[in-house]
Amino acid sequence: MMLDLQRHKILETLLSGVGAQYSHYKLRFTGHSLGAGCATLLGYIYRQKYPDLRVIAISPPGGFLSWKLATECSEF
């Protein structure tokens, strides 16, 4: 997912690039189960570039994140 987002410049085109169509929108990643784990990891990766980013993760798999990573992600 991350490689596709980067390769096709999807987020830049929509949210942050010159002439972005939806620059006033805030980025949200959502997911359930394994999708929740993916959403959390994507959020961790894109948090610096999109500081208003929020992740809604419902029932991620247990043990998916280390305790350190889970606490680093807790604010978003």
Side-chain angles (χ1 to χ4, degrees), residues 23-75:
S23 59
H24 58 288
Y25 282 34
K26 292 183 174 33
L27 182 59
R28 304 288 183 257
F29 289 123
T30 63
H32 174 265
S33 191
L34 187 55
C38 293
T40 302
L41 291 176
L42 282 172
Y44 187 75
I45 292 166
Y46 282 103
R47 177 71 169 159
Q48 286 186 330
K49 187 168 185 173
Y50 300 96
D52 291 336
L53 178 140
R54 293 288 181 255
V55 174
I56 301 168
I58 302 167
S59 298
F64 192 78
L65 301 174
S66 68
W67 181 256
K68 182 179 186 277
L69 185 57
T71 55
E72 288 178 10
C73 295
S74 65
E75 71 179 52

Side-chain angles (χ1 to χ4, degrees), residues 8-28:
H8 301 293
K9 300 182 189 258
I10 294 169
L11 296 178
E12 291 80 3
T13 300
L14 296 174
L15 300 174
S16 63
V18 175
Q21 296 173 330
Y22 303 101
S23 59
H24 58 288
Y25 282 34
K26 292 183 174 33
L27 182 59
R28 304 288 183 257

